[in-house]
């Protein structure tokens, strides 16, 4: 069952957003650890549609946290940007 798999997974939220944490932990009943990304959200907005801009920021935030964790030997199951 996918829900059970997610509930036991090592999931990292690469954001300090209290609302995202609440949604994932309280509403979806996941055990998400918060590790804010150090990625600066300073992409050139003129190069993206609004949707693509948000997606690229999320991708790069998740990638920064993934790289930081795996460089120390920690391998999360999922990083959410």
């Amino acid at each position: 069952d996918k829900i059970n798999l997610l509930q036991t997974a090592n999931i990292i939220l690469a954001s300090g957003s209290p609302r995202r944490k609440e949604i994932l932990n309280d509403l979806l009943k996941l055990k998400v650890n918060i590790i804010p990304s150090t990625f600066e959200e300073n992409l050139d907005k003129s190069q993206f549609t609004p949707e693509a801009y948000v997606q690229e920021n999320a991708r790069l935030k998740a990638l920064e946290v993934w790289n930081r964790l795996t460089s120390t030997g920690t391998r999360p199951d999922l990083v959410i940007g």
Side-chain angles (χ1 to χ4, degrees):
D1 179 47
K2 292 179 183 178
I3 296 295
N4 288 337
L5 180 64
L6 284 174
Q7 289 174 334
T8 60
N10 178 16
I11 301 173
I12 306 298
L13 177 60
S15 168
S17 166
R19 180 66 180 140
R20 289 184 188 154
K21 178 183 177 188
E22 178 186 3
I23 290 168
L24 294 168
N25 285 343
D26 299 341
L27 297 177
L28 297 177
K29 305 297 184 209
L30 302 177
K31 295 175 185 156
V32 175
N33 295 303
I34 309 298
I35 302 178
S37 174
T38 59
F39 173 73
E40 291 188 33
E41 296 183 34
N42 59 1
L43 299 173
D44 182 355
K45 291 180 182 177
S46 69
Q47 301 298 312
F48 300 91
T49 64
E51 180 180 339
Y53 178 79
V54 170
Q55 289 175 345
E56 186 65 4
N57 269 307
R59 186 184 74 80
L60 292 172
K61 286 169 59 174
L63 186 61
E64 186 279 319
V65 170
W66 172 268
N67 287 335
R68 187 168 14 128
L69 291 174
T70 57
S71 73
T72 63
T74 301
R75 188 175 176 97
D77 297 314
L78 175 66
V79 178
I80 300 171

